[in-house]
Amino acid sequence: MNQEWCLDALYKDYDDPEFTRDMEALPEKIRQFQEAAASLGQGEAEEELVGILKAEEEIGLFTQRLGMFLALKSEVNTADEQATMQTSAMEKDMALVKKWIASLSNLKELIDNNAFLKEYEYLLLQRKKDAEHLLSGDVEDVIARLNVSAGWAWGNLQTYLTSGVEVDFRGEKTNLSAIRNMAYSKDGKVRKEAYEAELAAYPKIADSVAFALNNIKSQVNTICKLRGYDSPI
């Protein structure tokens, strides 16, 4: 049974020249965004607001393809080191951006007078609201860095366990991704057998997954208290 995604629409594989090119270009893209974030407040607010949003948009579009490829790779093989790499390079800078947006007393006026900003009205106003719960830039940076070996690490463990657990189906060994896809089979018997096979596989990893989830949520509770939220919800 084939257990690999066909990701050719994104990249052929890790040795695809396009993948190598984009991975090598990513640090420069991040550096440019960091410079833009660090210079906020030195020019006209409307112009800077448009500029930082366009910079965000550009890096978002650039990383979307990389992110989808790496995420889908890790769904099948989380032991792959390239697919499980995490970066917190922009977290501190995003905190700076949000705090600067919150400092704009005329934000609503800027939005109403600019067609481009109007498209981002909900995002901008939400960021202004969320900024009330942001910590200092250095603390946000520490949280992001620690998250790599905390919440993200527990999340990776959960993904590793669920993608690696063997599922017995009609005398063959398969994985959860493949067995879940059978939920869309036109054959009702296949759907039923696949569902039962999925449920039968979970006890193998139940305790470990629960342990990972408990630690992820423990981190959420801790950070929410630091930020001053009444509850994680």
Side-chain angles (χ1 to χ4, degrees), residues 188-217:
K189 186 177 180 181
V190 170
R191 295 197 303 271
K192 182 175 185 294
E193 289 183 28
Y195 174 69
E196 292 172 345
E198 178 182 350
L199 294 183
Y202 285 138
K204 303 175 186 176
I205 57 173
D207 290 345
S208 299
V209 169
F211 195 82
L213 181 60
N214 285 339
N215 280 281
I216 291 170
K217 293 310 171 185

Side-chain angles (χ1 to χ4, degrees), residues 217-230:
K217 293 310 171 185
S218 176
Q219 178 181 327
V220 170
N221 289 334
T222 299
I223 293 176
C224 282
K225 287 181 181 178
L226 289 173
R227 295 193 190 284
Y229 286 105
D230 292 331

Side-chain angles (χ1 to χ4, degrees), residues 40-55:
L40 290 173
Q42 299 178 16
E44 292 292 329
E46 182 176 339
E47 183 178 336
E48 288 187 325
L49 197 52
V50 170
I52 199 68
L53 285 173
K54 287 186 175 180

Side-chain angles (χ1 to χ4, degrees), residues 41-114:
Q42 299 178 16
E44 292 292 329
E46 182 176 339
E47 183 178 336
E48 288 187 325
L49 197 52
V50 170
I52 199 68
L53 285 173
K54 287 186 175 180
E56 239 187 285
E57 194 174 72
E58 180 182 356
I59 199 170
L61 291 171
F62 182 83
T63 56
Q64 184 178 41
R65 186 181 180 194
L66 283 169
M68 289 176 63
F69 177 75
L70 294 173
L72 289 170
K73 274 287 190 181
S74 68
E75 283 293 315
V76 175
N77 180 15
T78 50
D80 193 320
E81 292 183 1
Q82 293 191 69
T84 55
M85 284 192 308
Q86 302 286 349
T87 177
S88 61
M90 292 174 58
E91 293 297 325
K92 183 177 180 179
D93 307 285
M94 283 307 305
L96 289 175
V97 170
K98 291 175 182 177
K99 286 193 172 184
W100 176 75
I101 290 173
S103 73
L104 298 174
S105 59
N106 62 335
L107 178 61
K108 189 66 170 68
E109 181 184 343
L110 293 174
I111 293 171
D112 291 339
N113 293 332
N114 187 293

